[in-house]
Amino acid sequence: MVAVLHTWRCIQLVAVLPLFAAQDAWWPISHRTPLAPSGRLYHSMAWSDSAGGFYIFGGWDSFFDGFNDLYLYVHEANQWQQITPHGTVPSRRSSHSMAWSDAAGGFYIFGGTDGSDYLNDLYFYAREANLWQQITANGPAPSPRRRRSMVWSDSAGGFYIFGGYDGSGRLNDLYLYHHEANQWWQVRPTGTPPGPRSSHSMAWSDAAGGFYIFGGYESGEYLNYLNDAYLYLREANQWQLITPSGTAPTPRYGHSMAWSDAAGGFYIFGGTDGSRLNDLYLYVQEVYDTSTWTMSTGTTLTSTLTTVTTVTSTLTTTTTTVVDVSAEVAAVALSSGSSSLCLALVLCLLCRRRLRFQEAARRRKEDFKLSNPLAVKHFVLYADVRLVRYEFLEEIFGAGKPWPRRQEAEEMKMEDGRTALVTRDELRSLWYSAEKRKFFQDADERVEVHLCSISHAWEAMEHPDAWRYQLQEAVLRLSHLDGLVWIFYDFTSLPQYPRTTAQQHACFHRALGNMHLLYAHDLVNVLVMDQLTKEADSQRLEQDLQVEIFIQSQGGVGLVHTYELTVNDNLYLVRGWCQAERLWANLREGVDNVVPEPPELFAKRLDTFVFTHRSDTNAVRDLQRKVFEEKTEATTKLRFDKLPPDQIPILCAALPHYSKLEILTISRTRLQETGIAAILRSRATLVVLVDCDLDDQEATTMLEILEKEATAVKQLELGRNDRISQEIRLSLTVAALKNNIKLLLKAKTTPDIEMGKPEVKKSIVSL
């Protein structure tokens, strides 16, 4: 069972005790340039990773004159730059919105006021081109307004606009602008919507699968401030009113809000509730496996610090089974009126909690390393990934049924009464034998468990395998495995659209963050299904089949004919995520006819791949680099067999990445001179090249490197390479002796190369 805890925490930043200054402190920044923006308010600001800093645009000065200037603050240089773009510059304005997009390579500006009129125009700043563009979008645009909120969403492929003030009243309408389609849509969610408001805040959360709204003010009066919180779930198209525990921020408007993956929630800072505020709150959405952990629901601290000796604090602690002793001590200190002791204990609690989170993150990083044999077990439990029993696939295939969605599969049973999906208790009992390098059902090691993943294309938007071809292949290709076979198939193993609860979104987000473990880990069997049904068995497409899918208009699942589906004909080999999965699978031990592709080569091919969301490009590129580097940094042995010619350039590019390589074995492969050079320049100390049909040209390249360059090779085995001439063989032997390299050289039929030389006799060892 997974529980979601919603909690407010007031964060008190203290710079009095040096012990905590490195963790919680405000630092004024003295920038080194006179080009800083002039004083202003109601401007906009957005961070850019690619620019290495944040942009400031527009705003009002103290005389309420508007700006339309653009500045960039460069983080590492601690320096402001005034940017003078080309193109159509937005008019002077304030109270507008701004959102950066990695996918678009720039930021958008929307609406605001120029001092006399409210605006609803849309501009885009392209960073690399340094160009302003006025965007004329399709569809019904939001009405002119100011002080609305705006947030970019990679998964939606654009940004959302919510609420604001249009001159006659506050609004609570929701719009989506789609970047690639250049289209506005008014979004009409279900659920309990926020009331009309302006000067509120908004933050997107990948973990929640939507955005949060907090505070602002409503009606026509500035004094009617709000402190309510709402979550919009994108895939469910639904509003949810959030009622966190803890002490909420006071009602306010004009505050700032930002989501943090590291903190697992969003921060609220400042604003006004009638007087200017500088308090800081953290809203935390925590997801725990309550069937495993017994834990405190958290600590709520509300502190107002005027001097070191004047502290007013309230500490509330609620526990289920485990009592937090430190919290009890703090409560006693508070009740006794000892402000200094109280402050120290409060800070200790905050510091200890942060250290606990940091330690949990560190342990999780260790748990999820590809070199950890239990990484897959840890991951599927952490992300609540549900594996499918092979016997269940046999049953539904025999009955002519397709793969079920995760939400429906959770309720399904097999004919013998077992659940269709492997239970969490079974996963916890999974036993790894280090001696046998295998998984077993339990510590008795009687029943072996095979963990399998299926890399496949989605053949229709609504269902990946409506024609059952992938199901048939899975049943046939896994039938040879003895013991238990537990299978990852994304449609059945992960919560699918629509994900209607925060738990489903949190688990889905966790799964995507470490999905590579299910394809790159050495203990996972990966089935790569690189053919579509139309390629492998086109006659299936002519059958009038029915498949159960989620039907939006019905709010649930129902049967449709396959001809009603939205078919995706893109081949497996051009799909971005499929290519990433295939490359991860190639990193496993035992995959010896393909060279793992290094990140620099993969990045060059990214533009040729097809993504459902183009914004996924960066995520795939970064994850492929992370996985490749993690694997290559830990690899000491490499073996390749029957590499085709197109793999040799990839081999040359990949070998320098293997910093700890010791043994390199290649067989039955034409290496060419470039391949030979890359091998001898690698960090391998033992190189075995067997039956590679080496000729004099390749052997000469080898000889030149041995004579002219330093090499890490200490032993070189060249077995069954008949095309090297006697003369080159002798030269190689002498060069190896001079470099103290043990050379093992033998053809398919032993040649007479001793020539009566003692030094040659010593250098030739029979294979």
Side-chain angles (χ1 to χ4, degrees):
M1 175 182 174
V2 175
V4 178
L5 305 178
H6 304 279
T7 309
W8 282 112
R9 295 191 179 91
C10 179
I11 309 299
Q12 185 66 53
L13 300 182
V14 181
V16 177
L17 302 177
L19 174 63
F20 302 99
Q23 292 201 358
D24 288 327
W26 289 109
W27 297 97
I29 296 177
S30 232
H31 24 85
R32 306 185 222 154
T33 171
L35 296 178
S38 56
R40 63 192 65 200
L41 75 161
Y42 295 131
H43 50 281
S44 58
M45 176 174 170
W47 175 269
S48 162
D49 283 335
S50 56
F54 60 80
Y55 290 93
I56 293 282
F57 175 77
W60 277 349
D61 64 12
S62 56
F63 300 101
F64 295 98
D65 288 330
F67 296 105
N68 66 342
D69 48 0
L70 179 63
Y71 288 85
L72 170 64
Y73 172 77
V74 181
H75 164 64
E76 290 194 358
N78 185 25
Q79 195 170 59
W80 285 103
Q81 297 176 5
Q82 183 167 7
I83 309 298
T84 54
H86 309 290
T88 305
V89 181
S91 59
R92 298 172 181 267
R93 66 189 63 207
S94 66
S95 300
H96 51 283
S97 294
M98 182 176 184
W100 175 270
S101 163
D102 285 330
F107 61 78
Y108 287 92
I109 293 287
F110 174 79
T113 177
D114 60 8
S116 57
D117 296 318
Y118 296 112
L119 307 171
N120 71 338
D121 48 357
L122 179 63
Y123 287 83
F124 176 69
Y125 171 73
R127 188 183 78 84
E128 291 193 359
N130 191 26
L131 178 70
W132 278 114
Q133 297 173 300
Q134 184 168 9
I135 306 298
T136 303
N138 303 313
S143 59
R145 61 188 69 194
R146 65 185 175 106
R147 297 185 184 177
R148 95 286 326 126
S149 54
M150 174 176 173
V151 66
W152 178 270
S153 163
D154 282 337
S155 58
F159 61 80
Y160 289 93
I161 293 283
F162 174 77
Y165 181 68
D166 64 0
S168 59
R170 269 78 201 171
L171 306 166
N172 70 339
D173 49 357
L174 179 63
Y175 285 83
L176 169 66
Y177 171 78
H178 193 278
H179 162 65
E180 291 189 356
N182 188 29
Q183 173 87 31
W184 283 108
W185 282 284
Q186 184 168 4
V187 183
R188 303 182 190 278
T190 60
T192 304
R197 66 191 63 206
S198 63
S199 295
H200 50 284
S201 58
M202 185 174 181
W204 177 269
S205 163
D206 285 331
F211 60 78
Y212 290 90
I213 295 285
F214 176 79
Y217 55 81
E218 62 181 352
S219 73
E221 299 295 332
Y222 278 69
L223 297 179
N224 196 10
Y225 309 141
L226 302 168
N227 70 338
D228 49 356
Y230 289 82
L231 169 63
Y232 170 74
L233 294 171
R234 186 185 76 83
E235 291 193 355
N237 190 29
Q238 182 183 63
W239 284 112
Q240 289 185 359
L241 174 64
I242 305 297
T243 54
S245 61
T247 303
T250 57
R252 64 189 63 202
Y253 76 92
H255 50 282
S256 299
M257 177 177 179
W259 177 270
S260 163
D261 286 332
F266 61 79
Y267 289 92
I268 294 288
F269 177 77
T272 178
D273 61 0
S275 59
R276 298 295 187 263
L277 302 169
N278 69 340
D279 49 356
L280 178 64
Y281 284 82
L282 171 63
Y283 161 87
V284 180
Q285 174 190 297
E286 296 172 299
V287 182
Y288 297 98
D289 179 355
T290 55
S291 61
T292 303
W293 299 98
T294 303
M295 59 164 298
S296 167
T297 58
T299 304
T300 303
L301 302 170
T302 305
S303 305
T304 303
L305 179 63
T306 53
T307 66
V308 179
T309 57
T310 306
V311 181
T312 304
S313 301
T314 303
L315 177 65
T316 304
T317 303
T318 306
T319 62
T320 52
T321 302
V322 180
V323 178
D324 191 325
V325 178
S326 297
E328 288 187 336
V329 174
V332 171
L334 285 166
S335 63
S336 69
S338 176
S339 59
S340 299
L341 177 60
C342 163
L343 175 61
L345 286 171
V346 166
L347 290 172
C348 285
L349 284 170
L350 289 173
C351 181
R352 194 186 68 171
R353 181 171 181 80
R354 170 169 291 187
L355 291 174
R356 197 160 58 233
F357 278 129
Q358 291 174 343
E359 176 61 17
R362 185 196 65 78
R363 285 199 308 268
R364 190 157 57 245
K365 186 176 180 180
E366 290 297 317
D367 285 346
F368 292 173
K369 279 189 174 180
L370 287 168
S371 56
N372 182 354
L374 293 175
V376 177
K377 174 182 174 178
H378 293 319
F379 167 62
V380 295
L381 285 170
Y382 169 76
D384 194 30
V385 174
R386 302 298 297 276
L387 303 180
V388 190
R389 301 183 198 275
Y390 174 78
E391 298 90 340
F392 173 69
L393 298 188
E394 286 186 307
E395 287 186 7
I396 61 173
F397 177 66
K401 297 178 180 179
W403 299 86
R405 218 173 48 131
R406 157 75 178 265
Q407 286 90 325
E408 285 68 55
E410 287 178 340
E411 307 299 325
M412 291 183 175
K413 296 284 184 70
M414 295 169 51
E415 292 177 358
D416 60 8
R418 286 183 296 162
T419 56
L421 305 182
V422 178
T423 67
R424 293 179 64 81
D425 284 341
E426 289 177 288
L427 287 169
R428 292 190 193 97
S429 299
L430 190 65
W431 177 264
Y432 174 71
S433 169
E435 180 183 354
K436 300 176 182 177
R437 296 195 68 198
K438 293 179 180 180
F439 282 112
F440 293 90
Q441 189 177 20
D442 51 41
D444 290 340
E445 297 188 7
R446 289 195 300 264
V447 181
E448 185 177 354
V449 176
H450 302 273
L451 302 181
C452 303
S453 289
I454 298 178
S455 176
H456 64 96
W458 278 57
E459 299 202 26
M461 183 177 71
E462 302 86 352
H463 195 286
D465 186 33
W467 292 273
R468 287 73 156 169
Y469 169 70
Q470 296 172 15
L471 178 60
Q472 171 187 284
E473 286 295 292
V475 171
L476 293 176
R477 291 165 63 178
L478 296 174
S479 61
H480 68 285
L481 297 175
D482 295 325
L484 298 177
V485 180
W486 296 348
I487 304 157
F488 171 79
Y489 186 83
D490 53 9
F491 185 67
T492 310
S493 298
L494 301 176
Q496 296 301 308
Y497 174 86
R499 289 174 278 275
T500 56
T501 67
Q503 294 99 314
Q504 290 176 347
H505 280 286
C507 294
F508 187 80
H509 179 68
R510 286 181 171 187
L512 290 184
N514 292 279
M515 187 69 72
H516 64 279
L517 285 169
L518 294 166
Y519 299 96
H521 200 280
D522 289 336
L523 295 175
V524 177
N525 298 287
V526 181
L527 296 187
V528 176
M529 297 188 180
D530 54 7
Q531 284 191 310
L532 303 183
T533 303
K534 69 174 185 178
E535 300 173 276
D537 189 359
S538 59
Q539 292 183 352
R540 283 177 179 265
L541 301 179
E542 300 172 5
Q543 300 177 23
D544 183 13
L545 300 174
Q546 286 188 312
V547 62
E548 193 174 62
I549 65 169
F550 180 83
I551 302 174
Q552 186 74 43
S553 60
Q554 297 180 9
V557 294
L559 286 172
V560 299
H561 294 276
T562 50
Y563 59 75
E564 299 178 79
L565 300 177
T566 307
V567 176
N568 186 344
D569 283 333
N570 289 312
L571 301 181
Y572 177 95
L573 293 176
V574 302
R575 301 192 190 208
W577 280 106
C578 291
Q579 283 297 289
E581 292 166 4
R582 187 178 67 87
L583 291 178
W584 296 337
N586 290 343
L587 288 165
R588 294 171 303 134
E589 286 184 5
V591 179
D592 55 10
N593 61 348
V594 179
V595 179
E597 186 173 18
E600 62 271 20
L601 296 186
F602 180 70
K604 292 178 181 178
R605 298 196 298 126
L606 268 177
D607 289 339
T608 66
F609 298 154
V610 176
F611 291 92
T612 303
H613 302 292
R614 196 65 212 175
S615 56
D616 286 350
T617 304
N618 292 336
V620 169
R621 180 197 61 217
D622 295 343
L623 191 52
Q624 194 270 342
R625 176 179 291 277
K626 170 191 168 184
V627 177
F628 182 88
E629 290 177 350
E630 181 182 343
K631 193 74 173 182
T632 54
E633 287 171 4
T635 298
T636 59
K637 300 177 183 179
L638 275 178
R639 176 180 175 83
F640 299 111
D641 182 49
K642 294 184 179 179
L643 289 178
D646 62 353
Q647 290 293 300
I648 303 307
I650 301 175
L651 176 70
C652 296
L655 283 177
H657 290 272
Y658 288 86
S659 58
K660 297 180 180 178
L661 184 62
E662 296 174 2
I663 302 173
L664 175 59
T665 302
I666 302 179
S667 58
R668 297 182 290 184
T669 299
R670 288 304 310 272
L671 292 166
Q672 310 162 27
E673 295 99 303
T674 53
I676 291 293
I679 290 166
L680 293 185
R681 289 167 180 155
S682 74
R683 293 173 174 82
T685 56
L686 169 59
V687 173
V688 181
L689 306 178
V690 179
D691 206 5
C692 288
D693 200 24
L694 299 178
D695 58 20
D696 275 2
Q697 205 167 2
E698 293 162 325
T700 300
T701 300
M702 189 180 299
L703 179 62
E704 290 175 352
I705 292 176
L706 293 179
E707 290 179 339
K708 299 178 181 179
E709 300 181 24
T711 177
V713 177
K714 299 301 180 186
Q715 182 167 324
L716 179 60
E717 302 182 11
L718 307 176
R720 299 195 297 275
N721 290 285
D722 284 349
R723 299 176 63 203
I724 304 176
S725 68
Q726 191 83 343
E727 181 181 356
I728 298 296
R729 285 170 179 268
L730 289 172
S731 298
L732 280 174
T733 302
V734 173
L737 281 171
K738 289 180 179 179
N739 288 279
N740 199 25
I741 296 172
K742 185 177 182 180
L743 178 66
L744 285 79
L745 182 63
K746 185 175 180 180
K748 294 177 183 177
T749 57
T750 306
D752 180 16
I753 67 169
E754 294 182 335
M755 304 294 289
K757 297 182 179 180
E759 68 272 17
V760 175
K761 289 182 180 180
K762 291 179 183 179
S763 69
I764 300 174
V765 180
S766 174
L767 288 173

